[in-house]
Amino acid sequence: MNKELIEELKAQDFNVVAVSKTRTKEEIDEIAKMGLTTFGENRVQEFIDKYDPKYTWHIIGHLQTNKVKYIVGKVDVIESLDSLKLAEEIEKQANKHGIIQKVLVELKISEDPNKTGYPFKDAKNFISQLQEFKHIQIKGIMCVASKTDNQELVESEFEQMHTLYLELKEQYPEIDTLSMGMSQDYKLAVKHGSNTVRIGHAIFE
C-alpha cells in the first residue's frame, strides 16, 4: 500500500474513489483503516463478492441493464450511466426499493473507439431527458480521458468537461460532482476542476 500517497490524498479537498477492482476484501479493509473508505468497482459480480455496508461504493465500469437489480440498494453512486435504456432500468429497480439512486452520467470525451459513454456533444439533451425519472438523482458527470502521452489533448478533454460541468451546475442545483482523473492523470484533472478522482494501482501498489 502506498501510505505516503494515501496520506497526501486525505489532505486534499477533492473526493477519492479507491479503485478496488481485482483487489481482495482484505486489501480493501486495510485501505479503509488508513482512512479511505469510498471504493470503486468495475464489475458487478466482484462488487457483490466484496460488498460491505460499512463502506461507500461506486460502480465505475460499464453497466449492463440485466445487472442493475443486483446493485441498487447497495451501491451509493453509479458513475457509468450512459444510455436511456440503462436509466429506465435503474429507475425501475430504485422504485422497487423505494430509494433515489445517485448517478453520474458517463460522457465519451475521447476519440478512442474502445471507450464507453454517452456522446459528449449530446450531453445536455440527454441530461434534460433524465429529469423525468423520479428515482434517479443526477449528481454530475464522469469521463475517462484519452490514454496518451499528448498532455495537451488530455488537458483539452478535461477542460471541455469542466466547462460543461459549470454550465450544468447552473441549470441543475443537485449537480455537484465532476469525476475525472485516474492514477496517471488525476493531478491534471484536478487542475482542470475535477472534484472526484478514481485511483487504483497508485494507491494499492
Side-chain angles (χ1 to χ4, degrees), residues 55-71:
Y55 308 139
T56 299
W57 297 90
H58 290 210
I59 287 288
I60 58 175
H62 181 65
L63 180 59
Q64 295 171 302
T65 51
N66 64 346
K67 300 284 175 68
V68 173
K69 62 188 173 204
Y70 301 115
I71 64 168

Side-chain angles (χ1 to χ4, degrees), residues 9-44:
L9 291 169
K10 278 160 55 184
Q12 304 298 326
D13 61 357
F14 50 80
N15 299 313
V16 179
V17 178
V19 178
S20 47
K21 63 176 184 178
T22 75
R23 305 296 173 174
T24 64
K25 178 62 168 53
E26 289 69 32
E27 286 175 293
I28 289 170
D29 291 336
E30 199 175 324
I31 293 286
K33 280 179 199 156
M34 293 181 208
L36 295 181
T37 56
T38 299
F39 297 97
E41 286 289 337
N42 279 50
R43 296 175 182 278
V44 169

Side-chain angles (χ1 to χ4, degrees), residues 140-153:
I141 52 177
M142 179 269 250
C143 79
V144 179
S146 296
K147 197 171 184 181
T148 172
D149 293 331
N150 183 346
Q151 188 168 314
E152 280 181 14
L153 173 62

Side-chain angles (χ1 to χ4, degrees), residues 82-97:
D82 61 358
S83 72
L84 207 49
K85 187 181 171 196
L86 182 56
E88 286 164 353
E89 186 59 27
I90 294 170
E91 169 68 20
K92 178 179 154 189
Q93 297 300 333
N95 186 19
K96 273 188 192 174
H97 283 265

Side-chain angles (χ1 to χ4, degrees), residues 18 20 32 39 64 68 78 84 99-100 104 120 123 127 134 138 147 152 154 162 167-168 172 183 200 203:
S20 47
F39 297 97
Q64 295 171 302
V68 173
I78 295 169
L84 207 49
I99 63 167
I100 292 172
L104 302 183
F120 178 80
I127 288 166
K134 300 289 178 256
I138 313 293
K147 197 171 184 181
E152 280 181 14
V154 175
H162 185 229
E167 290 170 3
L168 291 168
Y172 306 106
S183 288
I203 285 174

